[in-house]
Amino acid sequence: MRFRAAPLRQAAIFAAVFVAVRVVYAAVFAGASGTGIRLLDLPLITLPAPFTGVRLLGPVTLDGLAAVALSAVPFAAVIFGFGLLNALFDVRPWFAAAARRGPLRSFARSLVIAWQTLPALAAALRRAARAARLRGERPGPRVLVPVLEDAIERAVTLAASLELRGFAASRRLDGACEVPVRVSGAVLARPGCALSIPSLSLATGTLTVLTGATGAGKSTVLDALSGLFQHADGGVQQGVIEVGGIDRALVPPRDTAGFVGAVAQRVRAAFVGETVAEELGFALALRGVAPVIVGARVAEVAERLGFPHLLSRPISALSAGEAELVAIGAALAERPTLLLVDEPLAELDSAARPRVVAALASLAHEGGMCVLVAEHRVAWFSGVADGWLSIADGKLAELDASSAALRSGHQFSAPSPHWCPPGTNGGGEAPTGASGGEVVSSSKRAGEVVAEARGVSVEHGERPAVDDVSLALAAGEIVALTGPNGAGKSSLLWELAVPRESGRVFVRGDDVRTLTHRDRRSAVALVPESLEDLFVTDSVAAECRRADRRASRGATLRRVGELLGHDATALADTHPRDLSGGQRVCLAVALQLAADPAVLLIDEPVRGLDHDAQREVAAAIRRAAANGTAVMFATHETEFAAAVAQRTIRLEQGRISETQRVTAP
């Protein structure tokens, strides 16, 4: 028993919203009239056939509203009661126990997923409302689109996480450790695509790295070995896939949770505990293991991975590197023989990456596990990997070390060593833009300072995230904002785009804090790290049409094509979330450039992207700057920053530690 204020607060908000919605509904559909004092004397409207039974508006009286509100109180009380119960007790073990057996198994499984998904709705709603303001719009019903999409993704990810941890398993199978993975003549098929794995065998005590382009099928291979592909994602398997001698096509993931551990790409979305200790012990608690044994195993895993000091820390307070290690630890709770890890380095800085690589190498070479890692950044594993796999042209094949080393070489075109103000060619002439005929706007004279931040500070609770930062940006300049995870990069970008705390931000001489939402977007635009929050329609064309309200018709779709370097008409009917990683970034940038801002800020534009997609984004950033927009992007990809930016600002513990001009090596 432990009192937690957050569930009670969320339940109170949901209960109040329910009552308010019930009252509004009654007023709209002629259900708020009575004999008391009239608050509104609205006309009563009866709809024509076939809706003759529907009445709208009508008089609104004080006693009528009171009656409606009172009728909603019992339901609101149930909502509040569940919140109070969750505030006093952790009800998840009760649901977990009910999900293992009995007539309410399916209902209990749904309750666990819903219970874990609901808290994320509030965070998604806040992000969507902030994203609407970034687009120069007032938050309205359309913010529900990204909120619901995020909730669905969260629920699916959470359900997969529970399945992989053995939630609601009816039996527990232990695989044979001699051959953790054996694949022969396998084809993994989904509508419109197929991936071939002619042969694959992995042994214990080895670390194998799987590489390939974004969307090539790396996650599909991991999901096929864990069983999610066949039993949760609707994929079709042909051929033989065995883990520990168990036919993967016949056995669901929950029944092999003791043998197979998996770490998802989005580790935070897969977390189910509130603290690190709860997260590490969750799989064991699901099986009803005695608390004293769970505690001992949690301490053992934390000690092995080097984070015993984090056990009492809330999951929400972890850095990206800490979260990745905790996710690995949670997968180790059952002492699996096969460990599957999906892009563990994607969100980590250069300081955290060696720590995660060392932990995975230790699990394989000292712990005797079979570790398979899907990763773009293969160079980090060059000294510890025992084998290399690659996916190309729909087929998985083995690589030798020299081939893998070639794939990890320098991927970008370096900037000119003779730097001159962006937008000029060194001789004072404005260049043509990326599209061939576009030139730098006269209102954006290349090299002219267009934005200044003075004494910007941001606090999260009592902790300073940004401390007295001052900087200036020039028209057409590309600046990289670098620094370790948790340095304050995202907080600084948000404060530059939507100033709320101390300090001042000026763009073209105007104080951004005093501008309206629409005028602010014409001064400074931000593409947030969760850029999908900007998408509120079901197609690229619809997104572009909404953005064209601040530009000429068809301008945004043409800009998408310019940023991509080819005509984007073929993408018009595609759902924004179905685009490739690089295409999504280009669409988000085009939407935010619709108002022709002087400054464009981008938060982690190449997170999780392969080298080809990173080159695509690099070209888009250069094309955006070629028209005179000052571009600053935050990243922990130092190679990308050095290749794309003309200037680098390093942030550490909320303060600028250094600023340097980038030159070619």
Side-chain angles (χ1 to χ4, degrees):
M1 181 173 178
R2 181 184 65 189
F3 180 76
R4 298 169 296 169
L8 186 60
R9 182 170 58 251
Q10 292 166 359
I13 293 173
F14 278 118
V17 169
F18 177 82
V19 173
V21 170
R22 179 72 181 89
V23 169
V24 171
Y25 178 87
V28 171
F29 289 93
S33 61
T35 59
I37 300 173
R38 288 199 177 192
L39 302 177
L40 293 173
D41 193 8
L42 302 176
L44 182 63
I45 302 174
T46 301
L47 297 183
F51 306 105
T52 51
V54 178
R55 300 190 305 166
L56 300 178
L57 303 180
V60 177
T61 65
L62 183 61
D63 61 323
L65 287 180
V68 172
L70 286 174
S71 69
V73 167
F75 297 96
V78 171
I79 296 173
F80 186 80
F82 269 104
L84 180 60
L85 179 67
N86 198 26
L88 295 175
F89 303 97
D90 187 357
V91 298
R92 291 169 301 174
W94 304 347
F95 294 154
R100 286 196 290 270
R101 61 184 64 86
L104 299 179
R105 283 186 301 172
S106 298
F107 181 64
R109 294 173 188 175
S110 301
L111 275 179
V112 171
I113 295 173
W115 206 265
Q116 294 295 134
T117 303
L118 280 175
L121 280 176
L125 187 60
R126 288 193 297 270
R127 291 202 320 271
R130 295 174 75 187
R133 294 188 179 95
L134 292 179
R135 290 191 61 159
E137 303 171 354
R138 292 187 179 277
R142 283 192 177 272
V143 304
L144 294 178
V145 174
V147 169
L148 293 177
E149 289 177 337
D150 184 86
I152 292 172
E153 289 186 4
R154 163 73 172 167
V156 170
T157 302
L158 187 61
S161 175
L162 292 170
E163 177 78 13
L164 291 170
R165 300 191 198 196
F167 177 60
S170 58
R171 55 180 175 166
R172 177 183 172 87
L173 300 179
D174 294 321
C177 300
E178 292 78 12
V179 185
V181 173
R182 186 179 76 86
V183 181
S184 177
V187 176
L188 306 176
R190 282 196 178 99
C193 62
L195 174 62
S196 172
I197 310 177
S199 177
L200 176 63
S201 180
L202 301 178
T204 54
T206 61
L207 171 62
T208 304
V209 178
L210 171 62
T211 186
T214 301
K218 299 186 300 299
S219 297
T220 298
V221 172
L222 299 188
D223 289 345
L225 296 179
S226 72
L228 288 177
F229 176 83
Q230 301 91 332
H231 300 279
D233 297 343
V236 177
Q237 171 198 323
Q238 300 174 8
V240 176
I241 298 180
E242 294 181 347
V243 292
I246 298 172
D247 190 340
R248 191 72 280 182
L250 301 178
V251 180
R254 58 181 174 270
D255 290 342
T256 57
F259 182 81
V260 181
V263 180
Q265 185 174 356
R266 298 174 57 203
V267 295
R268 293 187 188 275
F271 285 151
V272 294
E274 292 188 359
T275 66
V276 171
E278 289 180 7
E279 184 66 25
L280 296 181
F282 186 79
L284 297 174
L286 283 178
R287 291 201 292 113
V289 175
V292 65
I293 299 177
V294 174
R297 180 60 180 153
V298 165
E300 176 189 337
V301 170
E303 187 66 34
R304 180 172 191 172
L305 294 178
F307 58 79
H309 59 289
L310 297 178
L311 288 178
S312 61
R313 184 175 298 182
I315 288 292
S316 58
L318 297 176
S319 69
E322 292 168 343
E324 191 68 39
L325 286 173
V326 169
I328 294 172
L332 298 180
E334 297 265 44
R335 293 191 176 97
T337 299
L338 174 62
L339 180 63
L340 308 171
V341 189
D342 198 354
E343 295 202 29
L345 308 184
E347 298 189 26
L348 307 187
D349 58 38
S350 56
R353 287 175 179 174
R355 186 180 176 192
V356 171
V357 170
L360 294 173
S362 174
L363 292 173
H365 301 146
E366 299 174 18
M369 292 184 185
C370 175
V371 181
L372 177 60
V373 180
E375 184 57 65
H376 294 307
R377 297 152 186 82
V378 295
W380 291 91
F381 292 90
S382 60
V384 297
D386 302 291
W388 304 88
L389 303 172
S390 177
I391 299 176
D393 300 323
K395 183 178 180 180
L396 184 144
E398 293 189 28
L399 293 174
D400 57 36
S402 60
S403 297
L406 289 175
R407 291 175 180 268
S408 64
H410 193 72
Q411 299 290 327
F412 303 100
S413 300
S416 168
H418 305 294
W419 187 88
C420 56
T424 70
N425 58 13
E429 298 179 3
T432 57
S435 58
E438 192 175 11
V439 297
V440 176
S441 165
S442 59
S443 64
K444 298 177 180 178
R445 290 187 291 274
E448 177 187 14
V449 173
V450 294
E452 286 186 89
R454 305 171 186 171
V456 172
S457 297
V458 180
E459 292 186 356
H460 292 166
E462 298 181 355
R463 180 180 65 86
V466 178
D467 186 11
D468 193 26
V469 168
S470 297
L471 55 86
L473 300 174
E477 183 182 24
I478 302 177
V479 178
L481 181 64
T482 65
N485 293 117
K489 300 188 296 295
S490 297
S491 297
L492 176 58
L493 292 186
W494 272 98
E495 189 65 16
L496 294 178
V498 190
R500 294 176 300 172
E501 301 191 26
S502 62
R504 288 290 184 269
V505 179
F506 297 92
V507 176
R508 301 193 191 102
D510 294 327
D511 188 341
V512 177
R513 194 193 302 257
T514 65
L515 300 177
T516 64
H517 289 314
R518 293 175 65 87
D519 291 340
R520 181 184 298 155
R521 192 176 176 217
S522 297
V524 55
L526 169 64
V527 176
E529 185 175 6
S530 54
L531 56 85
E532 289 83 4
D533 292 336
L534 294 172
F535 306 146
V536 295
T537 65
D538 60 358
S539 71
V540 171
E543 291 289 350
C544 292
R545 283 195 298 269
R546 285 185 63 82
D548 284 344
R549 294 181 298 180
R550 302 297 304 274
S552 60
R553 185 175 181 180
T556 304
L557 186 59
R558 288 194 298 272
R559 191 187 294 272
V560 173
E562 292 170 2
L563 295 177
L564 288 170
H566 58 77
D567 187 12
T569 305
L571 302 174
D573 295 330
T574 305
H575 195 290
R577 290 176 180 257
D578 291 335
L579 297 173
S580 69
Q583 290 171 340
R584 284 199 300 272
V585 174
C586 290
L587 173 60
V589 169
L591 296 178
Q592 294 303 81
L593 286 176
D596 194 26
V599 178
L600 174 66
L601 309 173
I602 314 176
D603 197 359
E604 297 290 354
V606 294
R607 181 191 62 179
L609 300 185
D610 62 23
H611 292 304
D612 289 338
Q614 288 188 28
R615 284 198 296 269
E616 190 174 50
V617 173
I621 289 175
R622 291 176 180 135
R623 289 172 179 136
N627 196 39
T629 302
V631 181
M632 183 163 75
F633 62 90
T635 185
H636 49 247
E637 300 288 351
T638 55
E639 182 183 280
F640 180 85
V644 179
Q646 292 119 352
R647 183 160 60 98
T648 298
I649 298 174
R650 182 168 178 80
L651 203 66
E652 292 189 44
Q653 297 181 343
R655 299 182 68 91
I656 293 178
S657 62
E658 61 178 335
T659 301
Q660 61 182 13
R661 186 73 67 190
V662 177
T663 58

